[in-house]
Amino acid sequence: MSSTVAYALACVLVPFGWGVLMFRAFDWWQARLRRRASQAVPPPIDYSI
Amino acid sequence: MDVDGHMVSLLALALFGVGVGFVAGLFGVGGGFLLTPLLTVVLGFPLPVAIGCGLCQMVGTATVSLLRHRRLKQGELRFDLLMLVPSALGAVAGARTVQVLALHGDVELLGRRLPLVVVVLYTAYIVFLVGSALGLGKRAKDGVEVLGYVRRGPLARVRLPPYVDLPAVPLSRVSAPVVAYVGLGLGYLSGLLGVGGGVALMPALLYGFGFPIRQAAGTGLLVLLVTSATATYAHARQGHVHLGAAMVLAIGASVSAQLGALATARLPARWLRSGLFLLIAVTVLAILYDLLRQFG
């Protein structure tokens, strides 16, 4: 295994980037679920007739 | 995959990541305290490499946790900032200790020659795991997890200036050096054992300082990220981190941790706590078995 400065920095930055990506992906997934839930709601009843 | 001259099955590593991630999500812990010793005992990683890889994948999980809690505005950032520098120093000191122990070679114990690093770190793991189990047991007995108010703990009563106010908790006139020493200890544990220290920090925040549970859960995550990043860098400079293996673990763990967190809502709290105790007991037994095997 390498022990250069570049490799050591990569060992920190690659999992950090993965963490940010996972956070964004989970956010996107939750927003999608919320959007789907709001679309699944039936339209309000029109009492005017 | 070749990890420090030791062939490890990629599938086994991925499954291991999935398993530990699920357990971490299920019990709401980082999982480092299980991952690092089990990487050595089950997959045969050399102990310093297991510590390095455990810390490296922890950078990813700590990033996700920190971003999520920051969005929910949970946790006391001032407490994190006070611990930041001492914990980073502690992490480097812990990594150095591992290096010194690894360079020391073998030690004679009961007529057998064993690597010093294995003897010292395995003992430290057992002490740490048993201590964590006792801390969790105390929480279970006192039912503190339902506390929504602040009860000033013994560490918050220490009179050692300068003092700092923690408005998000809220606590006033807390000794800044005491907080810094907690950070130093946490960082050292992280660099030495490759654990996040969440299992040690939570009892310190809840009983030591008297944080309410919601604020305690969000506090320490910035420190966890900085500590794991510093310790990863220090271990990588010593050649103890296999980035490929760490990323396989991180990818598996990040997906299954979400599933574990979803499963938590469906299980009774008593089962979860018993499960965590059982897991700690199995890890301690696995370490003892490996130690006895090396004796034999």
Side-chain angles (χ1 to χ4, degrees), chain B residues 211-269:
Chain B
F211 274 45
I213 183 72
R214 263 184 210 287
Q215 295 301 336
T219 303
L221 290 170
L222 180 62
V223 171
L224 174 63
L225 177 59
V226 171
T227 307
S228 53
T230 314
T232 300
Y233 183 83
H235 276 284
R237 289 290 283 142
Q238 293 160 19
H240 294 163
V241 181
H242 191 292
L243 185 57
M247 284 314 293
V248 171
L249 287 169
I251 291 167
S254 56
V255 177
S256 60
Q258 311 285 356
L259 300 175
L262 289 176
T264 305
R266 296 167 195 273
L267 292 171

Side-chain angles (χ1 to χ4, degrees), chain B residues 1-239:
Chain B
M1 184 183 276
D2 182 10
V3 179
D4 206 31
H6 186 91
M7 290 310 283
V8 177
S9 155
L10 205 63
L11 182 67
L13 198 61
L15 287 175
F16 207 76
V18 169
V20 169
F22 185 79
V23 164
L26 189 67
F27 298 119
V29 293
F33 71 102
L34 299 170
L35 180 67
T36 311
L38 291 182
L39 273 180
T40 302
V41 176
V42 180
L43 293 184
F45 275 47
L47 201 44
V49 178
I51 294 170
C53 290
L55 285 164
C56 184
Q57 69 88 33
M58 204 185 293
V59 174
T61 51
T63 306
V64 179
S65 303
L66 176 67
L67 291 173
R68 193 152 307 289
H69 279 277
R70 280 291 95 206
R71 177 161 289 181
L72 295 170
K73 296 198 186 330
Q74 284 175 354
E76 173 53 83
L77 200 60
R78 287 185 185 197
F79 198 91
D80 274 88
L81 293 174
L82 275 172
M83 286 200 294
L84 216 55
V85 175
S87 68
L89 290 174
V92 174
R96 272 294 161 83
T97 309
V98 174
Q99 189 187 20
V100 169
L101 290 171
L103 287 174
H104 197 279
D106 291 354
V107 64
E108 197 161 318
L109 202 70
L110 302 172
R112 296 274 177 182
R113 293 196 70 77
L114 283 174
L116 181 67
V117 66
V118 170
V119 176
V120 174
L121 294 187
Y122 271 10
T123 311
Y125 275 122
I126 291 171
V127 171
F128 178 75
L129 287 170
V130 171
S132 303
L134 291 175
L136 290 164
K138 179 175 161 46
R139 195 194 313 183
K141 199 176 75 187
D142 298 351
V144 175
E145 58 260 72
V146 294
L147 268 186
Y149 57 90
V150 178
R151 187 175 58 188
R152 210 174 173 87
L155 290 176
R157 286 197 291 262
V158 175
R159 298 290 91 193
L160 185 65
Y163 300 105
V164 65
D165 291 340
L166 306 172
V169 179
L171 274 172
S172 60
R173 285 181 65 75
V174 173
S175 168
V178 169
V179 178
Y181 279 123
V182 170
L184 187 72
L186 210 64
Y188 188 74
L189 265 183
S190 187
L192 184 73
L193 301 178
V195 298
V199 201
L201 181 64
M202 279 297 269
L205 291 178
L206 290 169
Y207 313 115
F209 289 94
F211 274 45
I213 183 72
R214 263 184 210 287
Q215 295 301 336
T219 303
L221 290 170
L222 180 62
V223 171
L224 174 63
L225 177 59
V226 171
T227 307
S228 53
T230 314
T232 300
Y233 183 83
H235 276 284
R237 289 290 283 142
Q238 293 160 19

